[in-house]
Amino acid sequence: MKLLPSQGNRTGWLMLAVLFVLILLPLLAVVIQVLFPGIFFGTLKIGDLSLLLDIFRRPLWYASLKNSVLLGLGTTVLATLLGGALAFARSRWAFPTARLLDISVWLLLITPSFILAQGWVMFAAPDGLAAQRLGWNGAAALVFQPAGLIAVMTLSKFPLAYLTVKAALQWRVERLSDAARLSGASPWTVLRTVELPLLLPAIASGAMLVFMDTVGDFGLPASIAAVFRFPTLPYSIYSALYTSPIRFDMAGALSFYLVLLIALAMSVQLYAMRKSRFDFLSSRAVESQPRRPAKGGALLALANSAFLAIAIGIPLGSNLLMSLQGDSAGGEFTLDNYRALFQGDSRLAQGLAHSLEIALTAAAIGLVVGFLTAYVLTYTSFRLKKTIDVMSLVSLAVPGIVLGIGYIFIWNQAWLQHIGLLLYGTPWILALGGVAGAIPVITRIMAGAMAQVPERLLAAAQLQGAGFFSRLRTVLAPLVKGALLSAGLTAFGSSVFDLALSSVLYPPNYMTLPVVINKAFEDLRFGYASAATLTGAGLVVLIILSVDLLARGTRRRSRRTTS
């Protein structure tokens, strides 16, 4: 029993148009600005491609490109090795604190990078916690150099490689390894010639995810700018918009090269996966079960605890300690920073309220768009649904700073004012950016849930005369309401702490929570920034947990009523 195609096609065209406006059009605007300088602002210069070469002639532009590539490649190599090794150890051996590793990986993954980077700055700054509390004066020289920044970035990005490789290690085909060992291969030879080649697609995927997330990261350069000059493409793009005069040419050119790096990384990933496909799973595959090591279990637990103390304890612990003392790391413990959050002009309260408003709007609109997009991908035969699938994933790979530049080019045109669509300088442009960032996550969550709902249920409702929206509201939505809640809360939480888009697009006198925190950090108000970070994050987590518990309670009461 199949659904009639007409409504699916109409929904497909609608979603294609929405995704084009929200995601693809801003990215095209960045490319067009470079190919046709002045087309959006200034004098149009057709065929003038000099901006593409200026990056090799202008010291700041070239340094930004070089630093981004160096940071991306270095972090990719180290994070892939670290994440892969940890995933391999976690899948093979059972040891105390192993579960703590999984929890810490997810904590690092959901914590905004600028919060982690600020923690490292407060720890390693010349007058930071390492110097004042531990008497270690060499931390600044160790961290604030290219190799140190690569190490810091590695400790925040390795979860991407860890989760990718760990997922690939879920199933094992023992007969392949056994055959190699029966042929006289040593354990090292088996690992090198059998197991690692089979993991190559997962390793390549994890490495490219690390690279794309690193080169597009705005949090690290924004946080270290207060104590160390290390320009990268995202931070130089941001700086171009906040210099006088505004350098749209610089922002456009640097955004073009940032998109180019992302595109190259995606191409390498697709090539590696196409050339290294191995269909080795069969009915003999068994789920991996970690085993207790014959010896060395205590050593593994100790090494894991020490690693987590560095990766998690330093950045988050530094935020906590600095929030409980003055802006100097050697100050006495006090609650003054928390009291200051809601005194005076109460910028934190305003920024938090603005961020919650934007996040709530973005989550609500994103749920509608993501729900309908997942419906098109799951239940329709729309001929361009593969295009929709790709477009829905683009904003996941493209840095928020680039998307923000594209939004400025598109939504800051004078002619839009005559039709009421001049969104630049209004909170609505932040909401649209939040929607664009939320669509990939919402679509993936909803598509996974809809895959479990048979199409025949919707077709039966259609035969009974139920309209399109009636079927969605009375049949599909109730069956995937758990996924709707998860997708909405995920989109809400991620939108609150989006520093890149907020820094580029926030309207005058409409500061958001990430901007308030980052500006306090730039002003060297470390204690205030830490207190604001923990207070804002705690409130957001409390809201998410409260809504989740309320929804669970409602479902339990509903089940008792129906039974």
Side-chain angles (χ1 to χ4, degrees):
M1 189 180 297
K2 291 287 185 180
L3 293 166
L4 295 178
S6 59
Q7 289 176 326
N9 288 335
R10 287 198 294 268
T11 307
W13 285 112
L14 176 61
M15 291 301 100
L16 187 65
V18 170
L19 294 176
F20 178 81
V21 171
L22 288 178
I23 299 172
L24 191 58
L25 185 59
L27 299 182
L28 289 176
V30 171
V31 177
I32 292 172
Q33 165 66 23
V34 176
L35 298 179
F36 302 97
I39 190 171
F40 296 109
F41 308 106
T43 304
L44 175 61
K45 300 178 182 179
I46 298 177
D48 185 359
L49 302 181
S50 60
L51 276 178
L52 292 177
L53 300 178
D54 276 357
I55 196 166
F56 301 105
R57 293 191 289 260
R58 304 193 183 194
L60 176 60
W61 297 22
Y62 180 69
S64 302
L65 176 62
K66 184 180 67 174
N67 289 342
S68 288
V69 173
L70 175 64
L71 191 63
L73 292 178
T75 302
T76 298
V77 172
L78 293 182
T80 303
L81 290 174
L82 176 62
L86 289 173
F88 195 84
R90 178 68 179 89
S91 300
R92 175 156 294 191
W93 297 305
F95 54 90
T97 73
R99 182 59 181 163
L100 187 60
L101 174 62
D102 293 333
I103 296 173
S104 299
V105 162
W106 282 106
L107 183 60
L108 286 170
L109 199 64
I110 64 176
T111 303
S113 63
F114 78 93
I115 292 178
L116 296 174
Q118 287 177 2
W120 279 100
V121 170
M122 288 182 283
F123 174 80
D127 58 347
L129 292 168
Q132 297 293 333
R133 297 288 180 181
L134 304 177
W136 182 23
N137 295 318
L142 187 65
V143 172
F144 299 120
Q145 57 161 318
L149 298 181
I150 290 174
V152 168
M153 190 68 86
T154 296
L155 292 176
S156 65
K157 303 301 182 186
F158 83 89
L160 296 168
Y162 174 87
L163 293 173
T164 306
V165 176
K166 187 171 181 287
L169 288 168
Q170 181 180 0
W171 296 93
R172 301 181 63 186
V173 182
E174 298 286 357
R175 60 186 177 85
L176 300 177
S177 300
D178 291 342
R181 280 192 288 268
L182 288 174
S183 299
S186 65
W188 166 246
T189 303
V190 173
L191 175 65
R192 180 175 53 86
T193 61
V194 178
E195 296 178 350
L196 287 181
L198 293 176
L199 290 173
L200 186 58
I203 294 173
S205 295
M208 290 306 102
L209 286 175
V210 170
F211 181 82
M212 289 187 287
D213 203 42
T214 300
V215 298
D217 189 275
F218 178 70
L220 178 76
S223 298
I224 68 168
V227 293
F228 181 64
R229 180 172 174 79
F230 189 79
T232 61
L233 289 174
Y235 191 75
S236 293
I237 292 169
Y238 165 78
S239 300
L241 299 177
Y242 287 90
T243 56
S244 183
I246 298 177
R247 297 293 307 277
F248 286 113
D249 58 339
M250 175 180 172
L254 297 185
S255 297
F256 176 84
Y257 279 97
L258 189 52
V259 171
L260 183 61
L261 288 177
I262 298 294
L264 289 174
M266 294 180 69
S267 300
V268 170
Q269 178 186 6
L270 294 174
Y271 177 82
M273 294 182 68
R274 184 172 64 249
K275 291 292 184 180
S276 305
R277 178 175 175 83
F278 300 106
D279 298 319
F280 63 90
L281 290 184
S282 66
S283 58
R284 297 187 181 183
V286 294
E287 189 170 4
S288 297
Q289 293 295 335
R291 304 169 183 172
R292 289 192 175 275
K295 56 182 180 179
L299 184 60
L300 277 174
L302 181 62
N304 184 53
S305 299
F307 170 73
L308 295 180
I310 296 173
I312 291 284
I314 289 180
L316 299 186
S318 297
N319 274 287
L320 177 60
L321 286 176
M322 288 300 295
S323 72
L324 294 173
Q325 54 193 38
D327 293 328
S328 171
E332 297 296 328
F333 290 112
T334 176
L335 295 177
D336 288 347
N337 289 315
Y338 288 93
R339 297 190 189 98
L341 296 180
F342 300 98
Q343 294 176 350
D345 60 359
S346 190
R347 294 174 66 187
L348 176 74
Q350 296 177 9
L352 181 58
H354 293 160
S355 287
L356 294 178
E357 291 171 359
I358 295 300
L360 184 61
T361 304
I365 299 175
L367 265 183
V368 174
V369 176
F371 182 85
L372 293 176
T373 301
Y375 174 86
V376 172
L377 297 178
T378 306
Y379 297 113
T380 74
S381 55
F382 182 56
R383 63 179 181 271
L384 295 179
K385 70 178 185 179
K386 183 64 176 177
T387 304
I388 289 179
D389 191 22
V390 173
M391 289 174 60
S392 69
L393 289 172
V394 165
S395 65
L396 194 63
V398 174
I401 198 81
V402 174
L403 202 63
I405 294 297
Y407 272 48
I408 293 177
F409 290 155
I410 296 299
W411 299 107
N412 192 25
Q413 301 300 313
W415 61 272
L416 291 174
Q417 188 170 5
H418 302 299
I419 57 176
L421 290 178
L422 184 62
L423 300 184
Y424 182 70
T426 71
W428 277 106
I429 197 169
L430 283 174
L432 286 184
V435 172
I439 284 175
V441 176
I442 294 176
T443 300
R444 295 308 113 186
I445 293 175
M446 296 312 307
M450 290 181 185
Q452 302 176 14
V453 179
E455 184 180 353
R456 63 177 180 272
L457 297 180
L458 298 175
Q462 186 178 22
L463 289 177
Q464 295 297 319
F468 176 68
F469 290 105
S470 178
R471 296 196 301 273
L472 297 184
R473 181 175 54 84
T474 62
V475 178
L476 186 57
L479 292 174
V480 297
K481 59 184 178 182
L484 278 171
L485 178 64
S486 297
L489 292 179
T490 302
F492 172 80
S494 60
S495 297
V496 171
F497 287 100
D498 193 338
L499 176 63
L501 273 175
S502 295
S503 297
V504 174
L505 298 177
Y506 78 93
N509 302 320
Y510 195 89
M511 296 180 70
T512 61
L513 177 62
V515 175
V516 170
I517 294 173
N518 192 56
K519 287 192 174 296
F521 194 84
E522 289 177 347
D523 294 338
L524 303 183
R525 301 173 62 192
F526 293 155
Y528 181 92
S530 299
T533 297
L534 296 176
T535 301
L539 181 58
V540 171
V541 170
L542 182 62
I543 291 174
I544 291 175
L545 292 178
S546 300
V547 172
D548 185 55
L549 290 175
L550 182 62
R552 291 175 185 269
T554 302
R555 286 198 294 268
R556 284 196 295 267
R557 288 193 295 270
S558 177
R559 283 196 294 267
R560 286 198 295 267
T561 302
T562 55
S563 60

